[in-house]
Amino acid sequence: MIASVGLILLCQLVGEVIARGLGLPLPSPVLGLMLLFCLLVARDYVKPLALGPLGNGGVEEASKGMLAHLSLLFVPAGVGVIQQLDMITTHGVAIMLVLAGSVLITLVVTVVTFVVVARLLAMWVPR
């Protein structure tokens, strides 16, 4: 389990080094997850990879354990909200309007994107 968590953190570190070293406009956790995904796919084709923490579902079990306690990561955010209650009461209506507007914009953009991709696929893929 510790080796599996170590591998997950190592992928995160490598993603951080690559993102900062190359100055990529991509978040380092995304690079780390892509690296971990590549390792998980590669273990099915390269047998020596299946011997370490990648084997026997080690990474999967470690990630399930981490996800089970994900709610602990929201405690600092909740404390930050409580510390800013005076600002939230002052600007609460504006914050709610911005949040509602951003949700609506996200929904509209998602629907438009889906419709455009569906039409493009309908043109390219014969039925």
Side-chain angles (χ1 to χ4, degrees):
M1 174 93 165
I2 293 192
S4 300
V5 172
L7 179 66
I8 293 170
L9 293 175
L10 181 66
C11 288
Q12 169 70 28
L13 176 66
V14 170
E16 188 76 33
V17 168
I18 291 172
R20 288 182 186 229
L22 297 177
L24 297 176
L26 194 64
S28 56
V30 172
L31 288 173
L33 280 175
M34 288 181 356
L35 175 64
L36 183 61
F37 176 74
C38 290
L39 285 173
L40 289 172
V41 169
R43 80 170 167 194
D44 295 334
Y45 300 104
V46 181
K47 295 300 177 196
L49 285 176
L51 299 176
L54 287 172
N56 298 328
V59 171
E60 289 87 348
E61 290 300 317
S63 62
K64 285 179 186 175
M66 292 167 77
L67 285 174
H69 301 290
L70 187 64
S71 61
L72 291 174
L73 297 176
F74 293 106
V75 171
V79 171
V81 167
I82 297 300
Q83 287 179 341
Q84 300 295 328
L85 271 181
D86 57 336
M87 184 192 67
I88 291 173
T89 55
T90 305
H91 303 289
V93 174
I95 292 171
M96 293 306 278
L97 288 174
V98 167
L99 286 174
S102 66
V103 167
L104 289 174
I105 290 170
T106 301
L107 287 172
V108 169
V109 168
T110 302
V111 168
V112 169
T113 302
F114 178 79
V115 168
V116 167
V117 169
R119 287 183 183 168
L120 287 173
L121 285 176
M123 287 180 2
W124 290 338
V125 178
R127 290 183 189 228

